[in-house]
Amino acid sequence: MFNAAIIGSGIGLKHLEAINGYKSVKVKIICERDNKRAQYLKKKFPKIEIVKNENKIFKDESIKLVSIASYDNYHYEQILKCIKNNKHIIVEKPFCLNHKELKKIYQLLKRKRNIKFLSNLVLRVNDLFKNVKKIVNKNKIFYLEADYIWGRREKLFGWRSSIKNYSANLGAGIHLIDLVIWILEKKPVSVISYGNNIITKNTKFKKKSFVINIFKFPGNIIVKTTSNLAGNYNHFHELKIFEKNQTIIHNLNNSFILNKKKNITKLKGSYPDKSNRKKLIQNFIDQIKDTSINPILTLKEQFDLMSICFYADKSLRSNKEIKIKYL
Ligand SMILES: NC(=O)c1ccc[n+]([C@@H]2O[C@H](COP(=O)([O-])OP(=O)(O)OC[C@H]3O[C@@H](n4cnc5c(N)ncnc54)[C@H](O)[C@@H]3O)[C@@H](O)[C@H]2O)c1
């Protein structure tokens, strides 16, 4: 049995569902800085201590795991505090906001290998995408498209408009970029990105609200991903995978395979499959308890994914194709 704590209670409450009571782990503290929200939490979770100062968590030696679900701009400092105080870390994506921070976290974690680290990239446990991964012939793919269509434009005008380095790739598209590297089992070598803010230019949101990335992978496989915060659409992860003799399609209408004779077979697996999302966090707890258990996401994969997003954003600023360097 060990104790855990959560910082931030938006998506953080999903972390709570995944952690509290799983393999006897108990959430002892939730840190929430918003007064109204804190009052609500006190009533709803009378057995959990609700605090405003995160240091209460870091000073508590009974807490072995901290789940960080604060706004993106707080993740880095909170990760550093976790490392300093020897806490295992679950952190929402993106886990930091620039290369300098990425390198620092990497160096610190390399020095403290006993600390486990998970960024919450939930599509890896999605039932439909797990089936897609099983049926693709990853060595026969020549082109892949993956679109993160956010469908929640109104949410852009809260904290996402006020923090400095918010980016469509880091805040949304990252999930689909992760899905692609997981399916292909390869990392891109270069990227060129473009974007616009046509839909949001007269709003508080000053960043690009639509971004397209074109990645070259080894073997000249081409991948297009979009981070589409602006579209009038359902919240959706769209996918099209082209091989010589089959095409896999997951869109708003249907999820299916088109075979060589252009016959359609429905794809197996549920989507959006929200109930399975907690499996990523629960697998992480399993690993803390038993180090022989394989992670769903390796540490290196998580750092490589961040490098990919940072290079895509760099290309977005320069409109040039950029070679991606990994840590
Ligand atoms: N993995 C996913 O699918 C997914 C989905 C949604 C959000 N997120 C990520 O989760 C994080 C939070 O987003 P959200 O949608 O829950 O936002 P939200 O605005 O719905 O909720 C965040 C809550 O955390 C509190 N908070 C923020 N910073 C805090 C801090 N430093 N200390 C204490 N409390 C703090 C806020 O007061 C708020 O109540 C972001 O990094 C976001 O990118 C990930």
Side-chain angles (χ1 to χ4, degrees):
M1 209 284 255
F2 62 78
N3 287 334
I6 293 169
I7 307 177
S9 69
I11 193 85
L13 291 190
K14 295 284 168 202
H15 296 206
L16 176 72
E17 270 175 38
I19 298 169
N20 208 19
Y22 182 72
K23 302 264 170 91
S24 319
V25 179
K26 190 177 142 234
V27 172
K28 185 175 177 190
I29 301 180
I30 298 176
C31 173
E32 173 54 64
R33 59 193 332 191
D34 180 80
N35 285 334
K36 245 177 145 180
R37 187 85 182 142
Q39 287 312 317
Y40 160 82
L41 295 171
K42 278 180 189 164
K43 276 194 197 125
K44 183 144 170 95
F45 306 108
K47 290 190 179 147
I48 300 177
E49 198 180 336
I50 312 297
V51 302
K52 257 187 121 168
N53 183 345
E54 66 192 33
N55 292 330
K56 191 114 199 245
I57 291 172
F58 297 111
K59 282 189 198 139
D60 186 329
E61 285 189 4
S62 79
I63 291 174
K64 304 270 180 251
L65 166 66
V66 179
S67 203
I68 301 170
S70 52
Y71 302 145
D72 298 1
N73 54 320
Y74 297 117
H75 295 174
Y76 173 67
E77 292 297 338
Q78 289 167 345
I79 289 172
L80 295 197
K81 286 186 187 176
C82 285
I83 297 174
K84 189 169 172 225
N85 292 288
N86 298 310
K87 316 282 188 206
H88 298 296
I89 305 160
I90 297 169
V91 54
E92 268 307 339
K93 39 52 55 178
F95 67 76
C96 62
L97 290 173
N98 60 53
H99 246 122
K100 202 173 155 208
E101 293 176 354
L102 187 74
K103 278 185 201 151
K104 181 78 187 171
I105 299 169
Y106 194 61
Q107 283 162 356
L108 290 173
L109 283 177
K110 269 200 341 204
R111 266 186 246 146
K112 283 205 172 172
R113 289 184 190 268
N114 56 323
I115 294 178
K116 296 207 174 286
F117 183 91
L118 176 77
S119 178
N120 199 29
L121 295 154
V122 288
L123 295 187
R124 289 201 181 207
V125 288
N126 177 284
D127 196 29
L128 181 107
F129 295 135
K130 273 166 67 182
N131 281 325
V132 168
K133 184 165 162 65
K134 268 186 215 147
I135 59 170
V136 291
N137 303 295
K138 66 179 186 330
N139 298 322
K140 301 210 166 132
I141 297 170
F142 65 94
Y143 174 59
L144 194 157
E145 296 185 358
D147 299 302
Y148 194 138
I149 317 176
W150 209 45
R152 299 165 169 173
R153 204 187 297 155
E154 65 292 345
K155 279 194 156 194
L156 285 180
F157 311 126
W159 62 267
R160 290 173 177 88
S161 285
S162 39
I163 68 169
K164 197 169 150 227
N165 285 347
Y166 187 80
S167 106
N169 276 328
L170 288 169
I174 189 168
H175 281 292
L176 266 288
I177 298 171
D178 182 53
L179 192 71
V180 168
I181 58 177
W182 178 61
I183 288 173
L184 288 174
E185 294 177 19
K186 287 185 173 89
K187 294 182 293 197
V189 289
S190 71
V191 59
I192 183 157
S193 308
Y194 300 99
N196 69 36
N197 66 344
I198 294 171
I199 302 302
T200 46
K201 66 171 180 286
N202 294 324
T203 71
K204 273 167 78 181
F205 188 74
K206 297 299 172 205
K207 310 283 163 37
K208 302 266 192 311
S209 53
F210 174 76
V211 174
I212 176 163
N213 307 304
I214 297 169
F215 294 103
K216 273 188 207 147
F217 274 73
N220 206 23
I221 299 166
I222 306 290
V223 170
K224 177 216 83 178
T225 71
T226 58
S227 306
N228 183 345
L229 306 177
N232 177 36
Y233 212 77
N234 294 358
H235 181 77
F236 206 81
H237 310 97
E238 221 159 275
L239 201 59
K240 226 188 236 180
I241 307 176
F242 292 88
E243 300 171 16
K244 184 177 179 192
N245 291 329
Q246 73 171 7
T247 305
I248 293 165
I249 298 171
H250 167 59
N251 65 26
L252 266 188
N253 276 332
N254 210 339
S255 309
F256 59 100
I257 311 163
L258 207 60
N259 72 10
K260 200 174 177 183
K261 293 186 175 152
K262 315 274 167 63
N263 291 325
I264 283 179
T265 320
K266 192 151 177 43
L267 273 174
K268 289 196 186 114
S270 64
Y271 177 88
D273 191 33
K274 290 195 175 166
S275 60
N276 269 328
R277 286 190 181 174
K278 56 180 168 211
K279 285 191 179 157
L280 188 70
I281 286 179
Q282 292 180 340
N283 166 272
F284 183 72
I285 293 173
D286 292 342
Q287 280 172 62
I288 294 172
K289 295 202 164 218
D290 175 355
T291 48
S292 70
I293 289 173
N294 284 333
I296 292 174
L297 261 161
T298 66
L299 190 66
K300 185 71 171 67
E301 281 176 311
Q302 301 179 64
F303 279 79
D304 286 347
L305 177 65
M306 292 298 290
S307 295
I308 295 167
C309 293
F310 289 142
Y311 277 97
D313 277 357
K314 198 170 169 192
S315 169
L316 187 63
R317 291 190 291 272
S318 67
N319 284 167
K320 289 198 181 106
E321 183 179 359
I322 302 187
K323 199 167 173 297
I324 300 173
K325 291 184 201 138
Y326 295 95
L327 294 181

